[in-house]
Amino acid sequence: MPHMHEDKAIQCDLLILVATTSEREQLERAAKAADLHFQRGTHSRYGRYFSLGRIGDNRVHAVATEGMGPLGHGGSASKAILMKAATGATGLIQLGMAFGVDASLQNKGDVLVSTALIPYDNRDIVPARQPLEVFPMSDEPPAEVAASAANVVSAGALPYRVDYLTRVRWHGASPALLNALRNGHAGEHQVFFGAMLSGA
């Protein structure tokens, strides 16, 4: 049975989720470089977490996912749902290492910030030779995602066209979190903001 002080200590406003040991280590390194706490805590029901103390007006904790995939025990989605309820957090950040970045534009260590998630499972893919009159695709993305969508929709010389705009519902990030990340950036690496493709 959890003690009251455990339930109080685990409360936070912003929850950061990491998936691998190296991600946790890099978060700890960044926290210490910014003179933040990175104090380990343990809750008898919810397990280990790390407190970064207060950042601005927010109490910030970090937790590690424990399983592969989103929905299995300890996976990213299930852990986020469980820990959001346990901590009372109103903001979530999934910290992770990206793959498939554009090596001509981005370098190792650059930071990608998702302004929206695009579920890649629900999309239309048709041969490039398919006439637009037969299979029309969205010409203009919503204004708030136009810059990101231009890169996503373009198929270049590929023999097919991919449409992530017509039927797919984009899931926008919290404006407050995006503003905090835009205003708080200070470091040696470039930061890119834009929509990201994501699986389940």
Side-chain angles (χ1 to χ4, degrees):
M1 183 96 179
H3 297 291
M4 284 181 61
H5 73 273
E6 285 185 308
D7 290 336
K8 186 174 181 181
I10 203 173
Q11 295 299 300
C12 68
D13 306 299
L14 183 60
L15 187 63
I16 301 173
L17 292 104
V18 296
T20 67
T21 301
S22 57
E23 290 167 4
R24 182 194 57 74
E25 289 171 349
Q26 289 303 313
L27 179 61
E28 181 176 7
R29 182 176 148 197
K32 289 182 176 176
D35 292 324
L36 298 172
H37 297 288
F38 200 84
Q39 184 176 348
R40 179 175 173 167
T42 304
H43 190 284
S44 57
R45 177 178 294 162
Y46 302 111
R48 185 174 58 177
Y49 63 94
F50 301 91
S51 175
L52 283 75
R54 282 199 171 267
I55 301 177
D57 295 329
N58 297 305
R59 298 164 298 168
V60 182
H61 288 342
V63 294
T65 57
E66 298 149 7
M68 295 298 290
L71 300 175
H73 178 71
S76 57
S78 64
K79 186 78 171 189
I81 292 166
L82 176 69
M83 294 306 292
K84 184 176 185 294
T87 63
T90 55
L92 297 174
I93 294 177
Q94 176 72 57
L95 183 69
M97 291 181 284
F99 57 90
V101 297
D102 186 343
S104 66
L105 295 175
Q106 293 146 358
N107 300 308
K108 290 180 181 176
D110 286 347
V111 178
L112 310 176
V113 178
S114 171
T115 57
L117 292 180
I118 311 166
Y120 60 63
D121 298 316
N122 185 20
R123 64 200 185 278
D124 290 319
I125 303 175
V126 297
R129 63 182 179 275
Q130 182 82 42
L132 281 170
E133 306 83 60
V134 176
F135 193 88
M137 289 188 171
S138 177
D139 292 328
E140 294 295 328
E144 66 273 13
V145 295
S148 302
N151 293 328
V152 174
V153 174
S154 173
L158 296 176
Y160 54 83
R161 291 182 287 127
V162 182
D163 180 17
Y164 283 103
L165 299 174
T166 304
R167 294 193 300 128
V168 177
R169 179 175 169 234
W170 293 41
H171 302 274
S174 159
L177 279 179
L178 288 176
N179 286 336
L181 292 169
R182 283 193 174 100
N183 296 332
H185 168 245
E188 59 201 82
H189 304 296
Q190 296 184 89
V191 179
F192 296 86
F193 288 82
M196 291 187 188
L197 290 174
S198 176

